[in-house]
Amino acid sequence: GALLAVGVCLAVFAPHVVWMVNHDFVTLKYGSATLHQLDDLPQRLYKLLSFSALQLRMLLWVLLSMGALALWMRKQPKSEALPGARVSDRERRAWLLGLLGWPLAVLAVLCLGQGVRLQDHWGFQAMQFISLWLAWQLRSLGPKAAPRLLLLALVVHVLAMLTYSRSVWDPKTLDQRGRPDQFYPAQALADAVVADWKRHTACPLRYVVGGTYEAGMVSVYSGQNPAILEAGVPALSPWIDMADLQRSGAVYVYNEPPARLPGPEPLNKHAFTLPGSDKSLYDVYWTIVPPKACP
């Protein structure tokens, strides 16, 4: 059984291995270029704990639903396992432990042993089989569990939606929302960049080069969805065709004036101020590298 599992695993991964060899291991290089390292053990422990706390918060509504269902069903007679089942409870439990426990164990080893700074969204992949574990926990509650769980899920979803919507309509939370574009005049920046681009060329804007945040805002709010070359480093955006970028031109966005511009065009500036204020929070700079030819 173990040899068969290993063989199937190798067969599944073989196409990706062949692709990596043919593409100079670009996926591994991208991973090594984007991973953030934690130096000492206290930092690693803190990150692992904060990562775990965030995953619990994300699953809070689900766990509350399961807890409420268990209380609701506590006086119901327990159902026995189906007779003649080909897979024992022990085997099924081991399978579920592999689906859930193994990804979490890998993340813990990466953080504590290798000092990898865990990204919060990695939890979505690590916990994607939590629904199977929940279904396993429901196996002994009987047929009445399903409609009750559906009712609880609807109630919990409504409560969660009301909790979230409060941050949108309650004036007391306006200063606590943390929305990246709440007070950030991204549309004004994108409009200024696109207008400057159109003054230089009639070709479409296909690439933005710069930091993730500012370049991302220009891309999203420009209405043209240009691709982003993060920080101007090809290893951080390996899907960018550098030869095509050279032909198609790009907008280069900076947090501060660069020592050297990529082209002969002058540097432009956009000052960011909060509504009702004349004081600039900070400035964003950009320059245009016109395309050599329209695609």
Side-chain angles (χ1 to χ4, degrees):
L3 291 177
L4 180 60
V6 171
V8 171
C9 177
L10 293 176
V12 169
F13 277 93
H16 183 61
V17 172
V18 173
W19 187 92
M20 284 199 304
V21 172
N22 292 334
H23 292 80
D24 194 28
F25 296 94
V26 64
T27 51
L28 296 181
K29 291 180 179 178
Y30 171 72
S32 61
T34 55
L35 288 178
H36 300 281
Q37 295 295 320
L38 300 172
D39 297 328
D40 51 23
L41 184 59
Q43 285 183 336
R44 300 179 185 185
L45 287 172
Y46 176 78
K47 183 56 189 177
L48 184 60
L49 290 175
S50 64
F51 176 84
S52 302
L54 179 65
Q55 306 314 313
L56 286 176
R57 191 192 76 174
M58 296 297 294
L59 292 170
L60 178 61
W61 295 109
V62 179
L63 297 176
L64 286 176
S65 297
M66 293 299 297
L69 181 64
L71 291 175
W72 199 357
M73 302 287 295
R74 65 185 183 278
K75 295 183 180 180
Q76 298 294 324
K78 301 297 182 182
S79 300
E80 300 296 331
L82 293 176
R86 296 180 58 186
V87 180
S88 68
D89 280 1
R90 181 173 177 272
E91 291 172 314
R92 228 181 270 274
R93 191 179 299 111
W95 179 64
L96 289 171
L97 179 62
L99 287 177
L100 279 173
W102 178 252
L104 295 175
V106 169
L107 292 178
V109 170
L110 286 175
C111 183
L112 296 178
Q114 301 298 320
V116 174
R117 185 179 184 276
L118 301 180
Q119 302 297 310
D120 293 337
H121 61 272
W122 291 356
F124 290 112
Q125 286 77 33
M127 303 295 292
Q128 63 180 312
F129 295 113
I130 189 71
S131 56
L132 295 179
W133 178 79
L134 295 177
W136 169 254
Q137 299 302 314
L138 291 173
R139 71 193 186 283
S140 63
L141 296 182
K144 292 183 179 179
R148 294 185 182 186
L149 179 60
L150 178 60
L151 177 60
L152 285 170
L154 290 174
V155 171
V156 165
H157 275 297
V158 171
L159 290 175
M161 192 164 52
L162 291 175
T163 302
Y164 174 77
S165 64
R166 179 178 175 272
S167 66
V168 178
W169 53 258
D170 189 349
K172 297 180 181 179
T173 63
L174 282 178
D175 296 331
Q176 304 172 4
R177 281 189 238 176
R179 284 276 303 275
D181 58 348
Q182 186 63 42
F183 295 113
Y184 188 94
Q187 189 64 64
L189 171 64
D191 290 344
V193 170
V194 171
D196 193 33
W197 173 266
K198 290 181 178 179
R199 281 194 292 270
H200 289 83
T201 176
C203 299
L205 175 60
R206 299 185 60 200
Y207 295 101
V208 180
V209 181
T212 306
Y213 188 85
E214 286 78 12
M217 288 296 182
V218 171
S219 175
V220 170
Y221 285 87
S222 68
Q224 302 183 36
N225 298 319
I228 299 172
L229 178 60
E230 185 178 349
V233 180
L236 297 179
S237 306
W239 45 85
I240 298 294
D241 185 342
M242 295 303 297
D244 185 60
L245 186 147
Q246 296 295 327
R247 291 191 300 268
S248 302
V251 172
Y252 289 74
V253 183
Y254 307 94
N255 291 322
E256 56 186 29
R260 183 172 59 88
L261 295 178
E265 302 302 329
L267 196 66
N268 298 280
K269 183 178 75 171
H270 190 98
F272 285 90
T273 58
L274 287 174
S277 173
D278 296 329
K279 184 178 180 181
S280 175
L281 295 176
Y282 65 97
D283 301 323
V284 175
Y285 305 85
W286 73 89
T287 187
I288 306 293
V289 175
K292 297 178 180 178
C294 287

